[in-house]
Amino acid sequence: MNMSGLLSALILLIIQGSLAQHVRVEPEVVSYPGQTVTLRCQFQNPGATQLTQVSWIFEPTNGDRTNIAVFHPSFGANYPTISPVSGRVSFVTDPPSLENPSIKIREVKMTDEGRYICEYATYPSGNEQGVTSLIMLAKPKNLATKVTVPAGKTPVIVARCESSNGRPAATISWSTALNGNVTTPIETKNPDNTITVQSVYMLAPQPSDNGKDISCVVSHRTMTQPETFPMKLVVEYPPRVQIVGYDNNWYRGRTSAFLTCQADGNPSPTTVTWKTLSGLMPETVQVQENRLAVQKVDDTLNTTFICEVKNRLGYGRDQISVFVREQAPPSSNAGVIAGVIIACILAISLLAVLIYFLVFYNRRQQHGYRGTGKPTGAPYDSFTRLFGSAKSSKNGNGNNNTPIYRGEMGLNEKTANQGMHPGGVALLETTHTQTAEDILLSREMDEVERKKFDELEEEDERYDHFGGGGPILQLRPHNDDLDDDMESQRDGSVISRTAVYV
């Protein structure tokens, strides 16, 4: 088509549209069965156009046009009796008028759906009209059913879904994890102009599909949300049987051994039968429905046990061969080894924690000590008490009169000098390596040793003023040329550094 042809067609459509705009109607009216529907019509701005008559024409979806109402200013209103809405249609106003020829239809039916044409007869322009589409809605009745089927390899219908007597046609869908097929929905038009939609779900059912979920979902214009019908498939199959309980560790003398016959079927199994391949059930075996209880294992159990289960569709069976061992297999010591390893780890961890706290406490005790190992300004401290005076010398310039106690403090000591206190107390001068335990003990014994030292001082004073009796020790003159092993004392006597005095 050339450019001029397109332009002419466009102009014609514009003219037709402008003419059609003179008759004002509603393009679409929606109603439900049993209601009263109003179809409005009005001729706009007639101007010099003379209106002579108005008619309403019904055009069904499939059928011929039919006049249903006519109004003439001189002859009045007329309702043809052959119309499908005869007796239910009338003009809204009484008497009607050409300015407002709207009509109403009572108790509308589904068959009333179609096109309604309001047509004016005018002079001099001729007939002009407007078209209203009446859409009838009908809420459908929805239903879904499951179909009981036997297990098999051929696809069959396992579920149905139907939406009946709806207008317009409903939409049906399926929701499931099954690997089946959905057939094309079948639509059937009913005599009352409603539509029934049917859909089915097909599947080659297996025993494992029994009880699986499947849902039919129906959507329709009259429903605010889709309607869902959940179902569970019903697949029938003969019993599936399995014997459990044998651990391959039946040895002579074992007690409390069991075999259980597990069966699954639809419909549920009705009978359970135990047999042996030899035909005789051992005397030590008790049959308890689907369970075999062995009181004591012996050689008669070296056989094959068979379990048969039946239901309405058939039966299933399973068998297991038992081998009786001479004695129980040695128990695994893996648990003992694991327990020993865990105990060792815990012991090592505990020892590490103990050492850490001892070292930490030792460092706190030594806090503030200098390189000599003695705290500043401590005239009488635990270090001196434990290790003796640092002023003792080979030539006797110092002396070892500080009391040191060996057995009570548990020190690893080596005798360096020995002497006799004037009060007759044997003294030992010791040297050893300081430990955390020494420091802890020295703190606890501090007050006791001070009291003992004071008592020794008092004895010294009493000895110096003693006036009676003979000398306790035999004295010899002090000599600068004494042996290195000897050391002079305050009372003029000499004692050996290495000898032990009791």
Side-chain angles (χ1 to χ4, degrees):
M1 184 180 296
N2 54 22
M3 197 66 177
S4 60
L6 290 174
L7 184 59
S8 300
L10 182 59
I11 294 173
L12 180 60
L13 291 175
I14 293 174
I15 294 174
Q16 291 178 349
S18 63
L19 292 176
Q21 288 178 357
H22 287 97
V23 181
R24 183 180 179 183
V25 296
E26 294 176 323
E28 183 178 282
V29 175
V30 178
S31 182
Y32 291 89
Q35 294 182 343
T36 297
V37 62
T38 300
L39 305 179
R40 294 178 174 84
C41 180
Q42 184 181 14
F43 197 96
Q44 297 183 7
N45 303 322
T49 303
Q50 184 178 356
L51 305 178
T52 59
Q53 179 178 296
V54 62
S55 301
W56 279 95
I57 304 169
F58 172 52
E59 183 180 314
T61 305
N62 297 316
D64 299 329
R65 289 186 173 190
T66 304
N67 288 332
I68 61 174
V70 180
F71 173 73
H72 190 276
S74 300
F75 302 103
N78 182 48
Y79 306 101
T81 57
I82 61 173
S83 74
V85 294
S86 177
R88 299 184 289 120
V89 61
S90 63
F91 286 98
V92 174
T93 60
D94 187 20
S97 66
L98 295 177
E99 289 75 17
N100 183 20
S102 302
I103 63 173
K104 60 182 178 181
I105 303 174
R106 299 179 302 275
E107 298 179 3
V108 292
K109 302 176 182 179
M110 295 305 300
T111 55
D112 294 339
E113 184 179 78
R115 286 162 35 105
Y116 289 81
I117 304 168
C118 179
E119 185 176 80
Y120 274 91
T122 68
Y123 180 83
S125 59
N127 295 341
E128 295 189 19
Q129 63 184 20
V131 179
T132 297
S133 295
L134 175 61
I135 298 177
M136 294 299 298
L137 298 180
K139 186 176 181 180
K141 296 179 180 179
N142 305 317
L143 180 65
T145 57
K146 56 190 176 183
V147 181
T148 301
V149 296
K153 298 181 180 179
T154 303
V156 294
I157 297 174
V158 296
R160 300 179 186 272
C161 193
E162 181 178 277
S163 178
S164 59
N165 301 323
R167 185 74 182 183
T171 301
I172 298 178
S173 61
W174 295 88
S175 175
T176 182
L178 296 169
N179 189 22
N181 298 316
V182 178
T183 61
T184 302
I186 301 175
E187 297 184 3
T188 303
K189 189 172 182 179
N190 303 312
D192 61 352
N193 212 28
T194 59
I195 300 174
T196 298
V197 183
Q198 293 180 335
S199 178
V200 297
Y201 193 91
M202 301 190 69
L203 175 73
Q206 302 298 317
S208 58
D209 295 328
N210 184 48
K212 292 292 184 65
D213 295 324
I214 184 171
S215 298
C216 170
V217 183
V218 180
S219 302
H220 193 262
R221 182 175 177 178
T222 60
M223 300 186 301
T224 57
Q225 60 183 7
E227 187 174 4
T228 303
F229 297 89
M231 297 172 288
K232 290 185 179 296
L233 293 188
V234 180
V235 180
E236 294 184 334
Y237 55 94
R240 296 180 298 179
V241 183
Q242 182 182 12
I243 298 176
V244 298
Y246 180 62
D247 57 1
N248 199 27
N249 187 28
W250 288 22
Y251 52 89
R252 292 192 185 97
R254 175 178 172 176
T255 58
S256 301
F258 302 95
L259 291 179
T260 303
C261 183
Q262 295 181 347
D264 175 30
N266 187 28
S268 299
T270 55
T271 60
V272 178
T273 304
W274 284 96
K275 301 178 181 179
T276 62
L277 198 60
S278 61
L280 297 176
M281 187 66 65
E283 295 181 357
T284 57
V285 174
Q286 292 182 349
V287 179
Q288 303 170 353
E289 295 183 355
N290 68 325
R291 190 184 190 196
L292 285 185
V294 180
Q295 298 176 347
K296 186 176 182 180
V297 177
D298 56 21
D299 290 337
T300 61
L301 298 179
N302 277 313
T303 185
T304 299
F305 292 92
I306 303 172
C307 177
E308 290 186 353
V309 181
K310 294 183 180 180
N311 69 357
R312 179 170 52 83
L313 298 180
Y315 75 96
R317 60 179 288 171
D318 188 24
Q319 64 183 37
I320 189 169
S321 297
V322 174
F323 173 73
V324 178
R325 301 176 180 273
E326 294 184 0
Q327 58 184 0
S331 58
S332 174
N333 58 354
V336 177
I337 296 176
V340 172
I341 294 175
I342 294 175
C344 291
I345 294 175
L346 293 177
I348 294 173
S349 301
L350 183 61
L351 181 60
V353 171
L354 180 61
I355 293 175
Y356 169 78
F357 279 106
L358 288 177
V359 172
F360 177 76
Y361 190 82
N362 184 20
R363 290 179 177 177
R364 291 191 61 181
Q365 292 295 335
Q366 293 180 353
H367 182 70
Y369 284 68
R370 295 177 180 171
T372 59
K374 298 191 296 180
T376 305
Y380 183 78
D381 52 56
S382 59
F383 185 90
T384 305
R385 182 160 33 87
L386 289 172
F387 304 109
S389 175
K391 295 180 181 181
S392 298
S393 61
K394 180 179 179 179
N395 56 11
N397 292 335
N399 105 34
N400 296 327
N401 291 331
T402 304
I404 304 300
Y405 299 91
R406 306 177 52 199
E408 294 178 354
M409 302 183 63
L411 306 178
N412 296 324
E413 56 189 43
K414 176 170 128 180
T415 302
N417 294 312
Q418 297 177 354
M420 177 64 71
H421 189 276
V425 180
L427 303 177
L428 301 177
E429 183 177 355
T430 62
T431 60
H432 78 297
T433 302
Q434 185 182 20
T435 65
E437 185 179 5
D438 296 338
I439 295 175
L440 292 175
L441 293 176
S442 66
R443 295 286 184 181
E444 297 174 359
M445 298 179 61
D446 192 20
E447 293 299 328
V448 178
E449 292 182 359
R450 288 179 184 275
K451 291 179 181 180
K452 291 182 179 181
F453 183 78
D454 293 340
E455 293 175 358
L456 293 176
E457 289 293 337
E458 292 177 0
E459 291 180 1
D460 287 345
E461 293 178 359
R462 290 195 300 270
Y463 177 80
D464 291 340
H465 297 85
F466 181 74
I472 297 176
L473 299 176
Q474 183 179 0
L475 305 179
R476 59 180 180 180
H478 177 70
N479 193 336
D480 294 336
D481 295 330
L482 293 174
D483 294 337
D484 292 340
D485 183 51
M486 306 304 292
E487 180 176 339
S488 61
Q489 304 298 312
R490 290 184 301 174
D491 56 357
S493 64
V494 292
I495 61 176
S496 172
R497 291 193 182 97
T498 58
V500 177
Y501 295 83
V502 179

